[in-house]
Amino acid sequence: MTENNFKLKYNSGNVLSEKIYEIGIIALGSHRENHGSALPIDTDSKIAANVALAVATKTGATFLGIFYAATEFNYVKHGIHLTKDDLIDNQIIPQLKNIKEQLNIKKVIIVNGHGGNNQIMDDIDLISKETNLQIIFNNSIIENEGPHACTGELSMGKVLGFLDETRLEEHNDFKKNPEVGMVGLKLARENEPIINKEAEHIEKEGFEVDEKLGKKLLENAEKKIIDDIKSLL
């Protein structure tokens, strides 16, 4: 890193601590994954990036943007994804190394917005060792959003402004949109009991758009990430 003859004012702005500049927040979503008719294919990335930016704004932590790829379980067929090893070796580790070198970041919170990325949770220690960074994998969005492309994501999409409510009836056509609730994803339902249980629920009960719920999901995710930041400070 080039040395400069001036002092950066890390204590300026809305910051929790002068040490906040050592902490970076980066989103991990999925840019190319079907989410029915009413949500865009980069829904997971949009949600994760919005939450990460909101937390960075509220705390003063460094907003690091988003990783450009994602992974998925091989039995879930509804998008374009990398293998877990490709995601780690060719996307996450190189990007984090560059972040550390360019910005002198010491600690990173990865804000996950895509369930398939849960596969890398067991590799966080490896990634931390390879990048010489302290890393927290925050999964608060996924833990609470519910079935794929259904009430949780629809409601957050409504709050964030990218839900097309004129296409909700079409969204409910599981033949056209088999990924909604994963109702029509036979291989996924056969391989994962939780997916099958959620799909059965959606087939029976359907979904709704609940703006109050959407706000609550986003706020709860932000709170848990802020708690992670405080633990790092």
Side-chain angles (χ1 to χ4, degrees), residues 111-138:
V111 177
N112 183 38
H114 169 65
N117 293 328
N118 289 351
Q119 295 178 83
I120 75 169
M121 292 176 71
D122 292 337
D123 296 278
I124 292 300
D125 287 344
L126 169 65
I127 297 170
S128 180
K129 182 179 179 180
E130 289 292 321
T131 59
N132 196 28
L133 289 164
Q134 185 176 348
I135 300 172
I136 291 178
F137 187 89
N138 186 289

